[in-house]
Amino acid sequence: MAQILAPSAQWQMRMTKSSTDASPLTSKMWSSVVLKQNKRHALKSSAKFRVFALQSDNGTVNRVEQLLNLDVTPYTDKIIAEYIWIGGTGIDMRSKSRTISKPVKDASELPKWNYDGSSTGQAPGEDSEVILYPQAIFKDPFRGGNNILVICDAYTPAGEPIPTNKRHKAAQIFSDPKVAAQVPWFGIEQEYTLLQPNVNWPLGWPVGGYPGPQGPYYCGAGAEKSFGRDISDAHYKACLYAGINISGTNGEVMPGQWEFQVGPSVGIEGGDHIWCARYLLERITEQAGVVLSLDPKPIEGDWNGAGCHTNYSTLSMREEGGFEVIKKAILNLSLRHKEHISAYGEGNERRLTGKHETASIDQFSWGVANRGCSIRVGRDTEKEGKGYLEDRRPASNMDPYVVTGLLAETTILWEPTLEAEALAAQKISLKV
Ligand code: ADP
Ligand code: MN
Ligand code: MN
Ligand code: MN
């Protein structure tokens, strides 16, 4: 877990003091880190080389970890940028590293890059090049220093967004003057499930069996109620370090399931921050040897599914008279229910059953403080006459670019016909 954190102050100081030695890595160190298992076998295949975690001379510091935490800033201006993009399934995340000549403050200072789209299900083999456009940067909590994570979107060499690039359209919606004037805020609650490796069964659950029924686990503490807190907490700090606008975390109703919230974020930032936070979670679970699942209903039966509730407000919703604007937005949302559902994540029909704090997938509903509705409005919003709404429909595997873009489009840019509006006003049910 040590490499999650930034290099310790102590290590940085030590390196700075001994900075006369331009090459802190001696060949003696290397030969003790990389061992040949056996000379004869080593000749056959480089796979026979194994990296051993060895004790250092003073017997306290693991040498591989020492290298991972090495502060290179006294020796070079160069930094490492981890270019991150969304792969062919629309939910898998890919990344690769490159050296940049000096620290940067903005994504616009970074070069475009490319990758082999035929290996990610995003391009045919005979024309495999996909181009990465750097869009947002975050501090890298794994490498520390001036190193960065770069959220990218993907284009053909001719400059067309590829089909899995959902950011492009969202960015267009958010740069529409009508949308920008409404300063849309998003607070996204990302739920996720931790699985034991190889068995595809939640963390903390007996393999081949079930824990006791739901009830004690939500926000619970204790060895028999909370499974995976270190991962949730490591992720929380990694997000804060990276500059992600994370607003909180909690243990969920289903044991082994967790949530973190990001926001309120303005416009396209909501999507960028959620994707970067998901990437950090993939990396942390990788280090912990635990599998991350964003499946909306990982376990069938009387177990809660995993969603990605999206809290949303516009400037007019947050100002005096905002509740009327919220109700009009809900009316628009009711008229485009099917369109929204089809864009809210794969397998969501297994989750939106009308049970386990969800509304049924084929019926739109809204209510104040009601968690069994498609859209919930908080008590505070009702009392103050302004605030925000919570769209409870999105699944944990939704694409935040799609969901945030669609919410803004349906409530700010789209207008129903007067007839449809009148009919919908009679129809939409209010559950309080
Ligand atoms: P819940 O009660 O549904 O579990 P959470 O506390 O988990 O809600 O998440 C609520 C999210 O909504 C937070 O990320 C918060 O920052 C965000 N939020 C608060 N106010 C607004 C607003 N006016 N517009 C959009 N999002 C908001
Ligand atoms: Mn929540
Ligand atoms: Mn939740
Ligand atoms: Mn919620």
Side-chain angles (χ1 to χ4, degrees):
M1 281 292 176
Q3 57 267 49
I4 291 170
L5 304 170
S8 73
Q10 202 189 3
W11 176 243
Q12 285 183 354
M13 272 161 48
R14 252 193 293 154
M15 288 312 299
T16 316
K17 270 195 218 141
S18 63
S19 60
T20 44
D21 177 9
S23 171
L25 189 62
T26 64
S27 59
K28 189 171 146 255
M29 275 168 81
W30 266 123
S31 60
S32 58
V33 170
V34 183
L35 291 183
K36 283 179 200 168
Q37 262 187 308
N38 165 317
K39 221 176 178 182
R40 191 165 49 86
H41 284 114
L43 285 173
K44 281 195 203 144
S45 155
S46 61
K48 298 293 177 190
F49 284 88
R50 286 216 327 249
V51 177
F52 282 81
L54 293 185
Q55 296 294 300
S56 69
D57 295 339
N58 65 16
T60 55
V61 187
N62 174 309
R63 280 190 175 151
V64 174
E65 200 171 303
Q66 214 172 48
L67 290 172
L68 284 167
N69 288 334
L70 199 58
D71 178 13
V72 298
T73 50
Y75 309 104
T76 178
D77 280 343
K78 292 176 181 168
I79 62 158
I80 308 172
E82 190 74 20
Y83 277 48
I84 301 166
W85 70 97
I86 297 156
T89 66
I91 187 75
D92 60 314
M93 303 197 74
R94 309 283 177 131
S95 74
K96 56 177 187 162
S97 321
R98 73 179 288 173
T99 305
I100 301 294
S101 58
K102 59 179 188 353
V104 296
K105 291 214 150 49
D106 193 85
S108 60
E109 299 168 52
L110 292 165
K112 289 176 184 154
W113 204 11
N114 60 61
Y115 67 93
D116 166 18
S118 72
S119 297
T120 59
Q122 292 173 298
E126 66 277 8
D127 186 13
S128 65
E129 199 154 294
V130 179
I131 315 297
L132 291 170
Y133 291 22
Q135 298 290 4
I137 59 171
F138 296 88
K139 281 172 69 64
D140 183 342
F142 303 103
R143 295 190 172 112
N146 292 319
N147 303 305
I148 51 172
L149 305 174
V150 185
I151 296 290
C152 303
D153 62 354
Y155 296 79
T156 65
E160 289 294 316
I162 64 169
T164 46
N165 178 355
K166 307 297 182 194
R167 190 187 190 280
H168 182 77
K169 185 174 177 208
Q172 274 180 339
I173 293 171
F174 290 121
S175 61
D176 185 299
K178 244 182 119 182
V179 176
Q182 280 297 325
V183 200
W185 287 8
F186 298 96
I188 300 176
E189 305 169 52
Q190 174 72 64
E191 292 178 341
Y192 61 94
T193 310
L194 298 174
L195 303 177
Q196 304 172 48
N198 304 319
V199 290
N200 261 358
W201 202 238
L203 203 65
W205 291 34
V207 176
Y210 291 85
Q214 294 184 160
Y217 312 111
Y218 170 72
C219 298
E224 77 291 26
K225 298 180 227 61
S226 179
F227 312 111
R229 187 191 302 279
D230 283 353
I231 290 173
S232 166
D233 245 24
H235 177 253
Y236 201 164
K237 287 205 176 169
C239 283
L240 286 174
Y241 180 97
I244 289 167
N245 186 17
I246 186 166
S247 38
T249 69
N250 62 265
E252 269 304 334
V253 176
M254 188 186 104
Q257 203 170 85
W258 292 83
E259 170 181 312
F260 65 87
Q261 303 99 29
V262 170
S265 313
V266 180
I268 198 72
E269 227 180 73
D272 288 340
H273 283 223
I274 280 286
W275 275 116
C276 190
R278 283 178 178 176
Y279 177 79
L280 292 179
L281 195 51
E282 287 279 20
R283 291 280 304 270
I284 290 164
T285 51
E286 171 193 321
Q287 287 181 342
V290 167
V291 176
L292 171 66
S293 168
L294 294 185
D295 190 289
K297 189 78 174 183
I299 306 292
E300 272 179 52
D302 219 359
W303 304 99
N304 274 31
C308 214
H309 298 167
T310 303
N311 300 273
Y312 168 60
S313 63
T314 60
L315 193 61
S316 347
M317 294 179 191
R318 298 187 292 268
E319 287 176 350
E320 285 312 305
F323 197 26
E324 288 311 309
V325 184
I326 291 173
K327 283 198 265 193
K328 166 67 171 130
I330 291 172
L331 191 140
N332 281 16
L333 288 167
S334 78
L335 285 165
R336 297 184 105 194
H337 180 61
K338 276 217 176 83
E339 250 170 296
H340 279 252
I341 286 292
S342 65
Y344 276 12
E346 289 289 324
N348 209 9
E349 69 286 348
R350 290 182 279 120
R351 164 178 167 262
L352 295 181
T353 56
K355 287 187 195 157
H356 307 112
E357 301 174 47
T358 70
S360 145
I361 194 163
D362 39 42
Q363 218 201 330
F364 181 89
S365 58
W366 78 283
V368 175
N370 189 325
R371 288 172 197 271
C373 285
S374 315
I375 305 283
R376 175 173 71 110
V377 176
R379 280 262 175 253
D380 282 352
T381 295
E382 183 192 45
K383 207 171 85 195
E384 287 169 26
K386 60 183 179 187
Y388 63 100
L389 62 86
E390 177 192 37
D391 191 341
R392 299 177 61 80
R393 297 169 295 174
S396 47
N397 59 358
M398 61 84 144
D399 185 331
Y401 293 135
V402 175
V403 171
T404 58
L406 198 52
L407 278 168
E409 188 188 296
T410 298
T411 61
I412 304 172
L413 297 177
W414 184 77
E415 268 309 324
T417 63
L418 286 175
E419 295 91 315
E421 190 168 337
L423 207 66
Q426 290 169 7
K427 259 194 359 204
I428 56 172
S429 47
L430 171 63
K431 291 187 195 170
V432 183

